[in-house]
C-alpha cells in the first residue's frame, strides 16, 4: 500500500494556472489544475488507488489509465522530495500539550547570517500583535505549557518582548531566550535576570574576521563580547552556541578558549542545515566524516573542561550500542509536534522551525489548542515510525538509541525517508579519528506532468 502526502501549498496564479509554493523558491513550479487537484488528495490518509478512483469519477476517465499516470506522477514527485510516501495511513492523536514552545517572536534581525533557516531580515506585516501574543500566552498557560523559548529573527528587536515575557512569567511559565547577543546591554541583562531567563548566546567565531564571514558583520563581534561580559558581570549563567560550518570548524578550539576565559557555563554545537538563507550557502555544510572528527575532539575536551559540552548529534555511535531490540513500529526519535513545537512570527505552528514553509495552520485562524490536536501536518509528523526510514538507518546497530535522529537534515535535501544524511554511520563515512582537530576543509528542477488524464 502506498499512501502519498503532499506537505506544501498550491497557489492560484490568477491566469488559469497554479504554482507549488515551497519555502525554497528554487523549487517553485507551475502546474495545471488537474495536478493541483491530485496534490490536494495526497493527504497522508488516502492510498494511490483511492485517489485514482476519486479522479476517475471527477474527470470521467478510465480508472486504469488514471491510476497508471498517477503512479508515475507520484513517483516523480517522491524522487524530488515534494511528496512523501509511507506504507500506512497517518493517524490522528490526542496528545498532551507541549512542554516547550519555541516562539519566533519576530522575523526582524540586525544581522544577515548565512545559515539562517528563516531568512530573517525585516519585520513581517502579519506578525502577532501585542494583544494577540498575550492571548496566546493565556491559552498556553491554561493548557499547561511549562516553557517558552523566545527566538527570531532577533527577539530583542521586538519592542514588547519583555512585556510579553513578564506576562508569561506571571502565568508561572519558565522562560528562555536564544539571541545573537549583539543587543545584550546591562539594562537588558537586568530584565533577563529579573525574569530568571535562561540565555543562549550565538557566537560562530573567536575573532571579528571569522565571525563576520558567517554573520555578515565583523563589528558585531565586539557587541556580542560586550553582551557576554554584561551577563558575567551580573553573575548570570548562560550557554554559548556555535553553528559549525566549513568556514569556522578550524576555529572551534579558539571559541572554546573564549568559553573558558569568560567562565561560560555551557557550550552547544549546532550542525548547519541548509534551509532558508542557508540554502544558498549549502557548500558550508560539513561532511559526516568531518563532523565525526569534530565530535571526537569535543568529547576529549569534555573530560577536562570546566564547562559543560552539551550532547552532540550521533555521539552515541562512538560507544558500543546497547544490546536492545527495536520495534519498527515504534515512533521515530523527534520530539517535534509531541514534546515541543515552534510558532513562527506570523503565527504558523510547526514541529520545529526547520519545516518553515510546509502547509500548516495559523493561530490567526484557529486556537492553538485546536491546531495542536487537529493539524494534519502535526499529526502526520507524529505518525512517523522507525520503519518509514530506509537507507543506512534501517539495519544500523545504534538504531535503538538514535531512532534515525533529526529529520531536518534530510528534509533540507528533499530525502526525508533516506538514511540520516548527517550520520557518519548511515553514510558509510567511517574515518580514523584522532585526539586533535584536523578536518578537511543548483538543485535539479522537476517537471510536472501536463495532464493526469
Amino acid at each position: 500500500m502506498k499512501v502519498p502526502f503532499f506537505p506544501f501549498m498550491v497557489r492560484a496564479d490568477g491566469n488559469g494556472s497554479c504554482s507549488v509554493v515551497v519555502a525554497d523558491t528554487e523549487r517553485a513550479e507551475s502546474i495545471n489544475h488537474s495536478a493541483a487537484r491530485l496534490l490536494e488528495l495526497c493527504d497522508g490518509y488516502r492510498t494511490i488507488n483511492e485517489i485514482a478512483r476519486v479522479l476517475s469519477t471527477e474527470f470521467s476517465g478510465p480508472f486504469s489509465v488514471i491510476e497508471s499516470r498517477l503512479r508515475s506522477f507520484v513517483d516523480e514527485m517522491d524522487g524530488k522530495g515534494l511528496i512523501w510516501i509511507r506504507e500506512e495511513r497517518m493517524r490522528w492523536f490526542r496528545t498532551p500539550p507541549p512542554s516547550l514552545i519555541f516562539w519566533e517572536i519576530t522575523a526582524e534581525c540586525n544581522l544577515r547570517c548565512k545559515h539562517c533557516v528563516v531568512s530573517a531580515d525585516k519585520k513581517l506585516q502579519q506578525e502577532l500583535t501585542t494583544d494577540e501574543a498575550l492571548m496566546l500566552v493565556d491559552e498556553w498557560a491554561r493548557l499547561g505549557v511549562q516553557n517558552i523559548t523566545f527566538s527570531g529573527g532577533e527577539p530583542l528587536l521586538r519592542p514588547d518582548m519583555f512585556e510579553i515575557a513578564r506576562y508569561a512569567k506571571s502565568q508561572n511559565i519558565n522562560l528562555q531566550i536564544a539571541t545573537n547577543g549583539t543587543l545584550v546591554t546591562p539594562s537588558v541583562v537586568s530584565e533577563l535576570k529579573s525574569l530568571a531567563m535562561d540565555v543562549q548566546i550565538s557566537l560562530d567565531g573567536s575573532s571579528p574576521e571569522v565571525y563576520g564571514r558567517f554573520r555578515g558583520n565583523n563589528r558585531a563581534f565586539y557587541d556580542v563580547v560586550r553582551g557576554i561580559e554584561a551577563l558575567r558581570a551580573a553573575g548570570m549563567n548562560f550557554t554559548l552556541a556555535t553553528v559549525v560550518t566549513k568556514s569556522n570548524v578550524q576555529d572551534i578550539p579558539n571559541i572554546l578558549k573564549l568559553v573558558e576565559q569568560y567562565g561560560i557555563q555551557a557550550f552547544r554545537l549546532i550542525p548547519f542545515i541548509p534551509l532558508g538563507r542557508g540554502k544558498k550557502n549549502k557548500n558550508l555544510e560539513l561532511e559526516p566524516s568531518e563532523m565525526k572528527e569534530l565530535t571526537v575532539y569535543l568529547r576529549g575536551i569534555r573530560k577536562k573542561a570546566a564547562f559543560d559540552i552539551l550532547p552532540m548529534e550521533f555521539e552515541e555511535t562512538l560507544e558500543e550500542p546497547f544490546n536492545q531490540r527495536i520495534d519498527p513500529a515504534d515512533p521515530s526519535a523527534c520530539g517535534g509536534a509531541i514534546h515541543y513545537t515552534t510558532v513562527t512570527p506570523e503565527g504558523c505552528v510547526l514541529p520545529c522551525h526547520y519545516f518553515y514553509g510546509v502547509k500548516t495552520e495559523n493561530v490567526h485562524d484557529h486556537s492553538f489548542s485546536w491546531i495542536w490536536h487537529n493539524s494534519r501536518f502535526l499529526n502526520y509528523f507524529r505518525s512517523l515510525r522507525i520503519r518509514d526510514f530506509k537507507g543506512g538507518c534501517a539495519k544500523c546497530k545504534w538504531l535503538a538509541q538514535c531512532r534515525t535522529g533529526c529529520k531536518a537534515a534530510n528534509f533540507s535535501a528533499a530525502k526525508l525517508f533516506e538514511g540520516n544524511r548527517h550520520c557518519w554511520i548511515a553514510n558509510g563515512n567511517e574515518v580514523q579519528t584522532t585526539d586533535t582537530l584536523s578536518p578537511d576543509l543548483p538543485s535539479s528542477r522537476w517537471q510536472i506532468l501536463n495532464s493526469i488524464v
Side-chain angles (χ1 to χ4, degrees), residues 272-274 279 282 285-289 313-314 393 404 406-416 418-424 426-427 429:
F272 171 64
I273 297 178
K279 197 73 173 180
K282 57 187 176 182
E285 189 175 20
L286 294 185
E287 296 296 329
S289 57
E313 195 176 23
F314 303 114
C393 291
T404 75
C406 173
K407 310 303 177 283
N410 281 16
F411 177 68
S412 73
K415 296 179 180 179
L416 184 67
E418 296 299 313
N420 194 297
R421 65 188 302 271
H422 274 182
C423 178
W424 45 84
N427 288 278
N429 288 317

Side-chain angles (χ1 to χ4, degrees), residues 249-435:
V249 64
Q250 295 286 2
D251 196 42
I252 295 295
N254 294 322
I255 294 173
L256 295 178
K257 288 178 183 177
L258 287 180
V259 174
E260 185 174 33
Q261 174 186 335
Y262 285 105
I264 297 170
Q265 183 184 33
F267 173 76
R268 179 185 175 208
L269 187 76
I270 303 175
F272 171 64
I273 297 178
L275 288 163
R277 193 178 293 126
K279 197 73 173 180
K280 298 178 181 178
N281 300 289
K282 57 187 176 182
N283 60 305
L284 295 177
E285 189 175 20
L286 294 185
E287 296 296 329
S289 57
E290 294 174 302
M291 186 60 82
K292 178 179 182 180
E293 191 165 3
L294 176 57
T295 301
V296 170
Y297 169 77
L298 289 173
R299 280 166 60 92
I301 295 292
R302 181 189 283 152
K303 296 175 183 177
K304 51 190 177 183
F307 52 88
D308 293 332
I309 296 178
L310 301 182
M312 294 163 284
E313 195 176 23
F314 303 114
E315 183 178 348
E316 60 267 29
T317 66
L318 299 176
E319 298 179 357
E320 284 300 310
F322 299 145
N323 188 17
Q324 177 183 349
R325 295 180 63 85
I326 187 166
D327 187 341
D330 283 349
S332 65
C334 185
I338 300 174
H339 305 301
Y340 58 82
T341 191
T342 289
V343 177
T344 69
E346 63 268 55
C348 292
V349 182
L350 303 170
C352 75
H353 70 179
Y354 291 113
F355 289 88
Y356 181 80
V358 299
K359 184 179 181 180
T360 188
E361 290 74 23
N362 191 296
V363 296
H364 282 122
D365 304 316
H366 302 281
S367 71
F368 177 86
S369 180
W370 187 94
I371 295 171
W372 183 248
H373 294 300
N374 296 287
S375 165
R376 182 171 293 275
F377 188 83
L378 296 185
N379 278 284
Y380 184 87
F381 207 75
R382 293 169 188 145
S383 295
L384 299 183
R385 295 287 178 259
I386 295 294
R387 61 180 167 229
D388 294 323
F389 297 88
K390 315 301 180 186
C393 291
K395 297 182 179 179
C396 179
K397 59 185 179 181
W398 283 278
L399 185 58
Q401 290 154 264
C402 85
R403 306 172 76 87
T404 75
C406 173
K407 310 303 177 283
N410 281 16
F411 177 68
S412 73
K415 296 179 180 179
L416 184 67
F417 294 135
E418 296 299 313
N420 194 297
R421 65 188 302 271
H422 274 182
C423 178
W424 45 84
I425 301 295
N427 288 278
N429 288 317
E430 288 291 85
V431 296
Q432 293 297 316
T433 57
T434 65
D435 293 329

Side-chain angles (χ1 to χ4, degrees), residues 6-222:
F6 177 67
F8 303 108
M9 292 175 280
V10 173
R11 175 187 62 210
D13 291 338
N15 57 359
S17 64
C18 304
S19 293
V20 174
V21 180
V22 186
D24 172 10
T25 56
E26 291 179 4
R27 294 167 61 200
E29 190 75 34
S30 294
I31 58 174
N32 60 28
H33 286 287
S34 297
R37 175 58 178 151
L38 184 158
L39 294 175
E40 181 183 4
L41 294 169
C42 293
D43 59 3
Y45 188 82
R46 294 181 175 93
T47 67
I48 286 181
N49 276 351
E50 289 167 346
I51 294 170
R53 292 193 184 282
V54 171
L55 294 174
S56 178
T57 300
E58 290 186 2
F59 293 113
S60 300
F63 173 80
S64 59
V65 173
I66 288 178
E67 183 190 34
S68 175
R69 292 181 179 176
L70 171 60
R71 288 184 182 278
S72 297
F73 178 78
V74 166
D75 286 344
E76 179 187 358
M77 295 282 278
D78 175 44
K80 300 298 182 180
L82 295 169
I83 278 181
W84 301 340
I85 297 177
R86 300 175 66 231
E87 295 177 0
E88 59 184 285
R89 304 177 195 271
M90 65 167 285
R91 295 172 54 201
W92 294 88
F93 295 83
R94 192 71 182 175
T95 186
S99 61
L100 170 61
I101 305 287
F102 289 102
W103 195 358
E104 295 173 351
I105 202 163
T106 182
E108 186 176 7
C109 192
N110 57 337
L111 298 177
R112 301 293 178 268
C113 306
K114 290 185 176 180
H115 75 290
C116 187
V117 173
V118 297
S119 301
D121 188 353
K122 297 178 181 179
K123 178 181 176 180
L124 301 174
Q125 288 186 346
Q126 296 299 317
E127 290 187 9
L128 299 175
T129 66
T130 302
D131 287 344
E132 288 171 332
L134 296 178
M135 286 191 292
L136 198 51
V137 170
D138 270 334
E139 186 178 5
W140 290 339
R142 290 194 302 270
L143 284 172
V145 171
Q146 299 172 348
N147 301 277
I148 294 174
T149 295
F150 293 100
S151 65
E154 171 47 53
L156 292 174
L157 280 172
R158 178 154 173 153
D160 60 357
M161 197 215 77
F162 282 119
E163 177 185 352
I164 297 167
R166 284 191 291 269
Y167 187 72
K169 192 70 176 180
S170 74
Q171 302 295 312
N172 297 315
I173 298 177
N174 299 315
L175 305 177
Q176 300 87 38
I177 186 170
T179 169
N180 63 35
T182 59
L183 304 176
V184 176
T185 62
S187 62
V188 167
V189 170
S190 179
E191 289 271 20
L192 297 172
K193 192 170 184 178
S194 70
L195 292 165
M197 260 191 170
D198 290 331
V199 179
Q200 177 180 288
I201 299 285
S202 297
L203 187 69
D204 306 306
S206 66
S207 68
E209 293 73 26
V210 178
Y211 177 90
R213 281 202 304 266
F214 193 59
R215 295 269 169 179
N217 186 334
N218 287 21
R219 290 172 296 177
F221 172 82
Y222 298 106

